[in-house]
Amino acid sequence: MKRGKREIMEKKSEISCFIEELSMVVIVKPTEENHEAAHIPTKPFLSICYSVLHVLEKIGPTMAVLRQDVYQNIKRLELMHESNPTTNLNLVEILKLEATEGIAKKGSSCSKAFVWLTRTLDFTSSLLQILSNDPQKKMEKVVEESYEVTLKPWHGWISSTAVRVALKLVPESKTFIDLLKTEDEDHDMVKQKMQILVSLLVPFLEDIHCILVSLISFS
């Protein structure tokens, strides 16, 4: 039985798994009447971040540094969750605790990890949206445009320079899409799934940013 389940999972594309993960997450935003109502389920959020990793892997070595950062940030939040699964079931409670303790802006904080994971989700959402709207667009340009509006504003000169150099290593758009699809899918099906994923990611990220703004400001 377990073997059959694994085989089914293996047949699903990264995009399909990503859609499933997002479809199951329920985020509660704070309201004017109840600022304490905000809720981001920790483990489901981290599962979504792992899905991002799988998509970024398909871009190749260009995303190696970003993937490493994503993985480290996921692990930081996982360790915090495992230290007290009941209390840390809600990511918002972790952010609130660090804000209260005055450590939210420190480089090793879970708050920083969460913010950088959110920025990477912004990047992924932008990339998939641009590509699904124009699958023929050069992948180098797709990555560059997404990076410019999501990650570059927060990167220093060294990181930005490294990305510019790495852009030369991105695969062709067709190759990237081929890597995302399963054997029984064609490019149109992948395009449609990317559009579905973006339609889920955009409101998901809007809710995340809404909660971040309500909790703390990051420089």
Side-chain angles (χ1 to χ4, degrees), residues 155-174:
H155 276 175
W157 179 81
I158 294 177
S159 295
S160 296
T161 302
V163 170
R164 282 201 302 272
V165 173
L167 279 172
K168 306 300 180 183
L169 302 173
V170 299
E172 295 293 330
S173 297
K174 181 180 182 302

mmCIF file of all heavy atoms in Angstrom, residues 155-174:
data_model
loop_
_atom_site.group_PDB
_atom_site.id
_atom_site.type_symbol
_atom_site.label_atom_id
_atom_site.label_comp_id
_atom_site.label_asym_id
_atom_site.label_seq_id
_atom_site.Cartn_x
_atom_site.Cartn_y
_atom_site.Cartn_z
ATOM 1 N N HIS A 155 18.950 42.753 -1.556
ATOM 2 C CA HIS A 155 20.282 42.189 -1.690
ATOM 3 C C HIS A 155 21.344 43.280 -1.748
ATOM 4 O O HIS A 155 21.104 44.366 -2.269
ATOM 5 C CB HIS A 155 20.386 41.345 -2.969
ATOM 6 C CG HIS A 155 19.896 39.951 -2.779
ATOM 7 N ND1 HIS A 155 19.796 39.046 -3.821
ATOM 8 C CD2 HIS A 155 19.482 39.283 -1.675
ATOM 9 C CE1 HIS A 155 19.330 37.891 -3.358
ATOM 10 N NE2 HIS A 155 19.132 38.010 -2.072
ATOM 11 N N GLY A 156 22.509 42.978 -1.229
ATOM 12 C CA GLY A 156 23.631 43.889 -1.329
ATOM 13 C C GLY A 156 24.294 43.775 -2.684
ATOM 14 O O GLY A 156 23.877 42.984 -3.547
ATOM 15 N N TRP A 157 25.365 44.570 -2.876
ATOM 16 C CA TRP A 157 26.055 44.602 -4.166
ATOM 17 C C TRP A 157 26.635 43.245 -4.537
ATOM 18 O O TRP A 157 26.544 42.816 -5.683
ATOM 19 C CB TRP A 157 27.169 45.646 -4.110
ATOM 20 C CG TRP A 157 27.949 45.735 -5.386
ATOM 21 C CD1 TRP A 157 27.592 46.424 -6.521
ATOM 22 C CD2 TRP A 157 29.199 45.097 -5.686
ATOM 23 N NE1 TRP A 157 28.547 46.266 -7.504
ATOM 24 C CE2 TRP A 157 29.550 45.457 -7.022
ATOM 25 C CE3 TRP A 157 30.060 44.273 -4.960
ATOM 26 C CZ2 TRP A 157 30.726 45.004 -7.628
ATOM 27 C CZ3 TRP A 157 31.229 43.823 -5.568
ATOM 28 C CH2 TRP A 157 31.548 44.187 -6.882
ATOM 29 N N ILE A 158 27.215 42.552 -3.571
ATOM 30 C CA ILE A 158 27.857 41.264 -3.846
ATOM 31 C C ILE A 158 26.833 40.235 -4.324
ATOM 32 O O ILE A 158 27.046 39.543 -5.327
ATOM 33 C CB ILE A 158 28.599 40.738 -2.600
ATOM 34 C CG1 ILE A 158 29.774 41.663 -2.258
ATOM 35 C CG2 ILE A 158 29.105 39.311 -2.833
ATOM 36 C CD1 ILE A 158 30.524 41.284 -1.006
ATOM 37 N N SER A 159 25.716 40.146 -3.614
ATOM 38 C CA SER A 159 24.672 39.179 -3.998
ATOM 39 C C SER A 159 24.097 39.502 -5.373
ATOM 40 O O SER A 159 23.886 38.606 -6.199
ATOM 41 C CB SER A 159 23.552 39.174 -2.953
ATOM 42 O OG SER A 159 24.020 38.714 -1.710
ATOM 43 N N SER A 160 23.846 40.783 -5.626
ATOM 44 C CA SER A 160 23.274 41.192 -6.903
ATOM 45 C C SER A 160 24.224 40.887 -8.061
ATOM 46 O O SER A 160 23.800 40.438 -9.136
ATOM 47 C CB SER A 160 22.957 42.695 -6.894
ATOM 48 O OG SER A 160 21.966 42.994 -5.930
ATOM 49 N N THR A 161 25.517 41.119 -7.836
ATOM 50 C CA THR A 161 26.516 40.830 -8.864
ATOM 51 C C THR A 161 26.583 39.332 -9.143
ATOM 52 O O THR A 161 26.675 38.906 -10.304
ATOM 53 C CB THR A 161 27.904 41.338 -8.423
ATOM 54 O OG1 THR A 161 27.839 42.741 -8.178
ATOM 55 C CG2 THR A 161 28.947 41.051 -9.493
ATOM 56 N N ALA A 162 26.534 38.538 -8.081
ATOM 57 C CA ALA A 162 26.580 37.086 -8.230
ATOM 58 C C ALA A 162 25.387 36.579 -9.043
ATOM 59 O O ALA A 162 25.528 35.673 -9.885
ATOM 60 C CB ALA A 162 26.598 36.422 -6.863
ATOM 61 N N VAL A 163 24.227 37.179 -8.821
ATOM 62 C CA VAL A 163 23.034 36.782 -9.562
ATOM 63 C C VAL A 163 23.176 37.142 -11.040
ATOM 64 O O VAL A 163 22.813 36.346 -11.917
ATOM 65 C CB VAL A 163 21.770 37.447 -8.972
ATOM 66 C CG1 VAL A 163 20.565 37.237 -9.886
ATOM 67 C CG2 VAL A 163 21.472 36.891 -7.585
ATOM 68 N N ARG A 164 23.698 38.324 -11.330
ATOM 69 C CA ARG A 164 23.878 38.745 -12.723
ATOM 70 C C ARG A 164 24.786 37.775 -13.479
ATOM 71 O O ARG A 164 24.540 37.437 -14.636
ATOM 72 C CB ARG A 164 24.462 40.166 -12.783
ATOM 73 C CG ARG A 164 23.448 41.267 -12.525
ATOM 74 C CD ARG A 164 23.923 42.599 -13.084
ATOM 75 N NE ARG A 164 25.208 43.004 -12.511
ATOM 76 C CZ ARG A 164 25.337 43.700 -11.390
ATOM 77 N NH1 ARG A 164 24.258 44.052 -10.701
ATOM 78 N NH2 ARG A 164 26.525 44.061 -10.955
ATOM 79 N N VAL A 165 25.830 37.326 -12.810
ATOM 80 C CA VAL A 165 26.744 36.368 -13.428
ATOM 81 C C VAL A 165 26.052 35.018 -13.633
ATOM 82 O O VAL A 165 26.152 34.396 -14.694
ATOM 83 C CB VAL A 165 28.008 36.174 -12.556
ATOM 84 C CG1 VAL A 165 28.876 35.049 -13.113
ATOM 85 C CG2 VAL A 165 28.801 37.476 -12.482
ATOM 86 N N ALA A 166 25.303 34.588 -12.611
ATOM 87 C CA ALA A 166 24.642 33.285 -12.656
ATOM 88 C C ALA A 166 23.515 33.225 -13.685
ATOM 89 O O ALA A 166 23.147 32.142 -14.159
ATOM 90 C CB ALA A 166 24.092 32.937 -11.274
ATOM 91 N N LEU A 167 22.965 34.384 -14.060
ATOM 92 C CA LEU A 167 21.877 34.420 -15.038
ATOM 93 C C LEU A 167 22.274 33.790 -16.373
ATOM 94 O O LEU A 167 21.424 33.280 -17.112
ATOM 95 C CB LEU A 167 21.431 35.872 -15.281
ATOM 96 C CG LEU A 167 20.480 36.479 -14.244
ATOM 97 C CD1 LEU A 167 20.276 37.959 -14.510
ATOM 98 C CD2 LEU A 167 19.145 35.748 -14.239
ATOM 99 N N LYS A 168 23.557 33.818 -16.654
ATOM 100 C CA LYS A 168 24.039 33.255 -17.912
ATOM 101 C C LYS A 168 23.898 31.727 -17.943
ATOM 102 O O LYS A 168 24.024 31.112 -18.997
ATOM 103 C CB LYS A 168 25.513 33.626 -18.123
ATOM 104 C CG LYS A 168 25.795 35.121 -18.044
ATOM 105 C CD LYS A 168 25.022 35.898 -19.087
ATOM 106 C CE LYS A 168 25.312 37.390 -18.991
ATOM 107 N NZ LYS A 168 24.496 38.186 -19.957
ATOM 108 N N LEU A 169 23.636 31.128 -16.775
ATOM 109 C CA LEU A 169 23.581 29.669 -16.683
ATOM 110 C C LEU A 169 22.159 29.109 -16.695
ATOM 111 O O LEU A 169 21.974 27.895 -16.633
ATOM 112 C CB LEU A 169 24.291 29.209 -15.399
ATOM 113 C CG LEU A 169 25.759 29.615 -15.238
ATOM 114 C CD1 LEU A 169 26.264 29.227 -13.854
ATOM 115 C CD2 LEU A 169 26.614 28.977 -16.323
ATOM 116 N N VAL A 170 21.159 29.974 -16.763
ATOM 117 C CA VAL A 170 19.780 29.473 -16.709
ATOM 118 C C VAL A 170 19.453 28.693 -17.983
ATOM 119 O O VAL A 170 19.979 28.996 -19.060
ATOM 120 C CB VAL A 170 18.752 30.619 -16.517
ATOM 121 C CG1 VAL A 170 18.999 31.357 -15.226
ATOM 122 C CG2 VAL A 170 18.778 31.562 -17.697
ATOM 123 N N PRO A 171 18.591 27.688 -17.886
ATOM 124 C CA PRO A 171 18.208 26.907 -19.075
ATOM 125 C C PRO A 171 17.254 27.697 -19.962
ATOM 126 O O PRO A 171 16.767 28.766 -19.574
ATOM 127 C CB PRO A 171 17.503 25.696 -18.463
ATOM 128 C CG PRO A 171 16.904 26.230 -17.198
ATOM 129 C CD PRO A 171 17.909 27.215 -16.669
ATOM 130 N N GLU A 172 16.989 27.208 -21.125
ATOM 131 C CA GLU A 172 15.971 27.809 -21.983
ATOM 132 C C GLU A 172 14.601 27.611 -21.334
ATOM 133 O O GLU A 172 14.399 26.668 -20.565
ATOM 134 C CB GLU A 172 15.985 27.158 -23.371
ATOM 135 C CG GLU A 172 17.260 27.403 -24.160
ATOM 136 C CD GLU A 172 17.429 28.864 -24.547
ATOM 137 O OE1 GLU A 172 16.408 29.548 -24.724
ATOM 138 O OE2 GLU A 172 18.581 29.308 -24.657
ATOM 139 N N SER A 173 13.669 28.470 -21.668
ATOM 140 C CA SER A 173 12.320 28.369 -21.097
ATOM 141 C C SER A 173 11.697 27.003 -21.383
ATOM 142 O O SER A 173 11.066 26.399 -20.508
ATOM 143 C CB SER A 173 11.427 29.485 -21.652
ATOM 144 O OG SER A 173 11.914 30.744 -21.283
ATOM 145 N N LYS A 174 11.871 26.530 -22.609
ATOM 146 C CA LYS A 174 11.302 25.233 -22.983
ATOM 147 C C LYS A 174 11.903 24.120 -22.120
ATOM 148 O O LYS A 174 11.187 23.208 -21.679
ATOM 149 C CB LYS A 174 11.556 24.947 -24.462
ATOM 150 C CG LYS A 174 10.978 23.616 -24.944
ATOM 151 C CD LYS A 174 11.267 23.388 -26.416
ATOM 152 C CE LYS A 174 10.650 22.083 -26.895
ATOM 153 N NZ LYS A 174 11.128 20.894 -26.142
#
